[in-house]
Amino acid sequence: MCGITGWISYDRNLATERPTLEAMTETMACRGPDAAGIWLDTHAAFGHRRLAVIDLDGGKQPMAVERDGRTLLVTTYSGEVYNYRELRTELEGLGHTFRTQSDTEVVLHAYLEWGEAFTERLNGMYAFALWDPRTEELLLVRDRMGIKPLYYQPTPHGVLFGSEPKAINAHPEVRPAVDAEGLAELITFTKTPGHGVFKGMHEVRPGHTVRVTRDGLTTRCYWALQAREHTDDLDTTVGRIRGLLDDIVARQLIADVPLCTLLSGGLDSSAITALSAGELAAQGSGPVRSFAVDFTGYTENFTPDDLRGTPDGPYARALAEHVASDHHDIVLDTAALMDPAHRAAVLAARDMPNGFGDGDTSLYLLFKAVREQSTVALSGESADEIFGGYRWFHDPEAVHADTFPWIAAGVSGRFSGGNAVREALLDRGLLKRLDLKGYEDRRYREALAEVPYLDGDAGLQRRMREVSYLHLTRFVQILLDRKDRASMAVGLEVRVPFCDHRLVEYVFNTPWSMKTFDGREKSLLRAAVRDVLPASVADRVKSPYPSTQDPGYNEALRSELRGVAADRNAPVQPLLDSAVAKEVTADGAKGDIRPGAELILGLDAWLRTTGTSLEL
């Protein structure tokens, strides 16, 4: 994986702007620790930081295709195209010649052969820019599911772009600011496609391209979920899902660097680990290496709640023993989670304080440990969104609520380990101006208006198609963005097999009654992979990513919040409800403050360190 950035300007000579491109590119160093590259032309400037995964020697970037001394096309590219070998063979049959073994060069030639329609041929996770010097046009491309991020900011005479907002914000003419809508997007548990949070900034929407010319910007959707009739019976459906998973995992195990899996002991990660173990054994290159995160004393002192009924450790070890993986537990304590350096690294990776509190810090530390032994990891992300794994998929009250089901289930606080609401410590006047409920409602109505239906969709089937669509286009974006930022902060490439668009399309159109044929969550996935799992893992109830239960963590937050609340110069003061902060930090105060305290402390650190201004 890599970090990309660039600048298109039709009113100046960018060939003289190397210092600016170097500054923008340097912000992506964590995403690409292996190499850096700059390409400059009159109206286009590209920067690239490389994490070498395929064709370690030949895949350097930015990469160009030249013919007769003339540059035809240039790219700065991030991602993996898993079917690049098949595409290369097809292109060679059409007369194309290649000088490297990289998927990057295949993408360049695919565009030269098929134009913008080449996006429909790509299978993978990617975000890249293509510059055609002949027409002086830029094309920004993002993968179908939005696994890899790509931001852009129009300027009066062109555009700035980057893998992360920090690359754009490093431009000397950009003054990062967040207005009321951006702050609402940041605080609420939504992820609006295309919204960049920062004023004037946008994300390329998943499955979209953005073309930049002298006349301006135009966007095009090349992929979206479509409603199609599902005609397969149950056995055929289960077999089709297993066949797809076998093919997907085999493709995503291709790498020229050490590779591993992330193993929680849940159904999703266990399936990926078991299938990877089988494929590697068939290749004669096993065992698979697996990693899990744990907390000091977590298993021994675990207390069940309505999201997490069991600790991960015993199940992860059971699966590891079952497939004979080379397994490693990364055990963290409260001191590591509260370490200012670790939290600062997470904030820098995320660009904004809208995360999962200690869940982000522990994920970062897990990835940091994994990176010491592997460069690529396979993860079980998005299986819950595809197969209906979350508990609120099966809660009639949440399903039929007139809002996003996860918001109706009140999970924004509980995902970060607490039960309080994230906005609990925000100023009442600020909350009134932001109107978070109204913001969520507008975004919910926009999402519903996009949902594709079949003529026969009615009742529960119609509503569950909506619920599935909301998760596959909104909720999963929250998790994919989190995983990308935490992994790329340490130069680790995380692949997400369940996000293969073929699997997503197929299961999206499978009737809800079939997805729950045995009366449980993720019935189809469980049936498709049961033969490679121990019974304890195959039958385990969904448990989200773990969060520390150490009461000392809550108290450490309380102590830090007390200091910020007492600091009149703290930049977060205008956003803070001082009376509530004083109440929850008073001597002897009890109760859960985690989601609210983590948000306030994150906002304070963000405003202190990034130079971002609030325009409310």
Side-chain angles (χ1 to χ4, degrees):
M1 204 53 55
C2 304
I4 67 173
T5 191
W7 179 14
I8 303 300
S9 181
Y10 294 106
D11 77 330
R12 70 171 79 186
N13 183 4
L14 298 185
T16 64
E17 297 289 348
R18 178 172 287 272
T20 295
L21 258 294
E22 287 177 342
M24 295 170 68
T25 304
E26 184 59 25
T27 66
M28 298 289 95
C30 59
R31 298 185 71 93
D34 296 329
I38 300 287
W39 182 86
L40 303 173
D41 199 4
T42 305
H43 297 303
F46 281 3
H48 190 267
R49 290 292 312 208
R50 187 178 185 216
L51 176 65
V53 172
I54 292 175
D55 191 4
L56 306 189
D57 295 326
K60 296 178 181 178
Q61 295 190 50
M63 185 180 290
V65 175
E66 298 178 347
R67 188 176 300 155
D68 300 326
R70 183 185 181 194
T71 299
L72 302 183
L73 195 65
V74 184
T75 190
T76 181
Y77 169 92
S78 169
E80 305 289 349
V81 170
Y82 301 123
N83 63 334
Y84 78 99
R85 291 175 173 177
E86 297 97 310
L87 290 174
R88 180 188 175 111
T89 299
E90 184 177 359
L91 288 163
E92 286 175 332
L94 293 169
H96 292 258
T97 58
F98 295 85
R99 57 183 177 81
T100 76
Q101 298 299 314
S102 70
D103 58 333
T104 305
E105 189 179 13
V106 171
V107 168
L108 283 165
H109 283 269
Y111 180 77
L112 289 174
E113 178 65 33
W114 296 303
E116 199 169 336
F118 82 125
T119 54
E120 297 164 15
R121 295 173 175 263
L122 304 182
N123 177 299
M125 57 178 190
Y126 45 82
F128 56 89
L130 294 168
W131 173 253
D132 188 334
R134 300 164 299 177
T135 61
E136 294 190 327
E137 293 182 359
L138 175 78
L139 188 70
L140 300 176
V141 183
R142 193 173 181 206
D143 66 69
R144 292 170 177 83
M145 290 295 290
I147 305 167
K148 292 291 104 182
L150 183 55
Y151 292 81
Y152 67 98
Q153 184 159 322
T155 67
H157 302 285
V159 71
L160 300 164
F161 67 87
S163 294
E164 300 176 9
K166 61 176 65 69
I168 296 171
N169 288 337
H171 191 281
E173 296 175 10
V174 173
R175 298 290 180 267
V178 173
D179 59 18
E181 181 179 287
L183 190 58
E185 175 73 15
L186 187 155
I187 294 171
T188 55
F189 215 63
T190 58
K191 185 74 168 69
T192 307
H195 203 301
V197 176
F198 290 93
K199 190 175 180 181
M201 193 179 296
H202 310 272
E203 257 192 311
V204 179
R205 289 187 62 151
H208 281 65
T209 62
V210 176
R211 182 171 290 278
V212 182
T213 71
R214 288 180 178 273
D215 296 326
L217 282 68
T218 56
T219 63
R220 182 181 76 91
C221 175
Y222 70 87
W223 182 86
L225 287 168
Q226 300 293 326
R228 298 187 177 95
E229 196 73 41
H230 185 83
T231 58
D232 293 342
D233 63 19
L234 179 59
D235 288 343
T236 303
T237 299
V238 171
R240 171 70 170 151
I241 289 169
R242 176 58 178 270
L244 281 168
L245 286 172
D246 286 339
D247 178 70
I248 293 163
V249 169
R251 290 177 182 274
Q252 298 197 18
L253 286 173
I254 296 172
D256 296 331
V257 292
L259 181 145
C260 69
T261 67
L262 305 175
L263 175 61
S264 71
L267 178 61
D268 315 337
S269 64
S270 295
I272 297 302
T273 301
L275 293 174
S276 297
E279 175 65 22
L280 291 174
Q283 297 174 7
S285 55
V288 66
R289 180 182 294 147
S290 58
F291 290 87
V293 68
D294 204 352
F295 304 101
T296 303
Y298 187 76
T299 299
E300 300 84 349
N301 303 301
F302 181 80
T303 301
D305 59 30
D306 58 350
L307 274 188
R308 300 172 180 88
T310 52
D312 286 344
Y315 296 92
R317 287 186 283 275
L319 189 281
E321 291 173 6
H322 187 74
V323 302
S325 75
D326 176 14
H327 185 68
H328 306 262
D329 286 317
I330 308 303
V331 182
L332 307 174
D333 59 20
T334 293
L337 297 175
M338 287 299 297
D339 187 313
H342 295 157
R343 292 164 68 199
V346 171
L347 179 63
R350 295 279 271 177
D351 279 311
M352 55 196 78
N354 62 337
F356 289 72
D358 78 278
D360 281 349
T361 310
S362 66
L363 192 66
Y364 165 80
L365 293 172
L366 168 64
F367 289 160
K368 187 176 181 181
V370 170
R371 185 61 175 88
E372 294 175 1
Q373 301 184 56
S374 295
T375 307
V376 174
L378 272 65
S379 171
E381 218 75 55
S382 87
D384 290 303
E385 289 78 9
I386 296 169
F387 291 99
Y390 296 118
R391 295 189 181 184
W392 53 87
F393 270 91
H394 310 275
D395 175 1
E397 186 174 338
V399 164
H400 295 291
D402 195 24
T403 188
F404 295 107
W406 56 90
I407 290 178
V411 302
S412 61
R414 284 181 284 162
F415 256 107
S416 60
N419 290 300
V421 294
R422 282 155 61 92
E423 62 267 26
L425 292 166
L426 291 175
D427 177 74
R428 302 301 101 178
L430 172 67
L431 290 174
K432 185 176 181 180
R433 291 199 302 277
L434 295 180
D435 184 19
L436 300 181
K437 294 295 184 185
Y439 184 80
E440 291 170 349
D441 185 68
R442 290 195 302 276
R443 296 312 189 192
Y444 175 66
R445 305 295 164 198
E446 290 172 0
L448 275 188
E450 299 172 4
V451 179
Y453 302 99
L454 291 176
D455 291 341
D457 284 343
L460 182 62
Q461 169 60 26
R462 180 181 176 89
R463 179 54 179 165
M464 294 315 296
R465 185 182 291 278
E466 293 174 347
V467 169
S468 296
Y469 186 90
L470 295 173
H471 282 80
L472 290 169
T473 61
R474 268 68 178 177
F475 192 81
V476 77
Q477 286 296 302
I478 298 172
L479 303 183
L480 290 174
D481 187 65
R482 168 181 180 254
K483 184 145 286 184
D484 173 84
R485 300 303 187 87
S487 61
M488 294 311 297
V490 297
L492 176 71
E493 175 178 304
V494 173
R495 298 175 178 177
V496 280
F498 287 112
C499 277
D500 186 292
H501 71 278
R502 297 169 299 163
L503 180 66
V504 173
E505 290 173 342
Y506 185 75
V507 181
F508 174 69
N509 283 297
T510 304
W512 180 247
S513 59
M514 191 175 287
K515 291 178 184 177
T516 55
F517 74 87
D518 63 358
R520 293 200 56 190
E521 81 286 355
K522 290 188 284 198
S523 305
L524 290 173
L525 177 59
R526 185 175 290 102
V529 298
R530 181 178 283 278
D531 65 305
V532 297
L533 303 177
S536 63
V537 173
D539 292 325
R540 188 187 181 196
V541 174
K542 166 69 183 178
S543 182
Y545 182 85
S547 181
T548 180
Q549 293 186 338
D550 181 1
Y553 180 75
N554 194 62
E555 293 312 306
L557 287 175
R558 196 184 308 276
S559 176
E560 188 172 339
L561 179 62
R562 185 181 296 116
V564 168
D567 180 2
R568 294 186 177 183
N569 295 318
V572 80
Q573 281 289 349
L575 309 180
L576 181 64
D577 188 320
S578 300
V580 174
K582 184 177 181 180
E583 178 183 341
V584 302
T585 60
D587 290 342
K590 301 294 183 182
D592 173 36
I593 65 166
R594 284 174 62 166
E598 285 168 336
L599 176 62
I600 290 295
L601 295 174
L603 284 167
D604 189 69
W606 179 57
L607 294 171
R608 285 180 189 271
T609 60
T610 65
T612 301
S613 63
L614 295 178
E615 299 180 359
L616 307 178

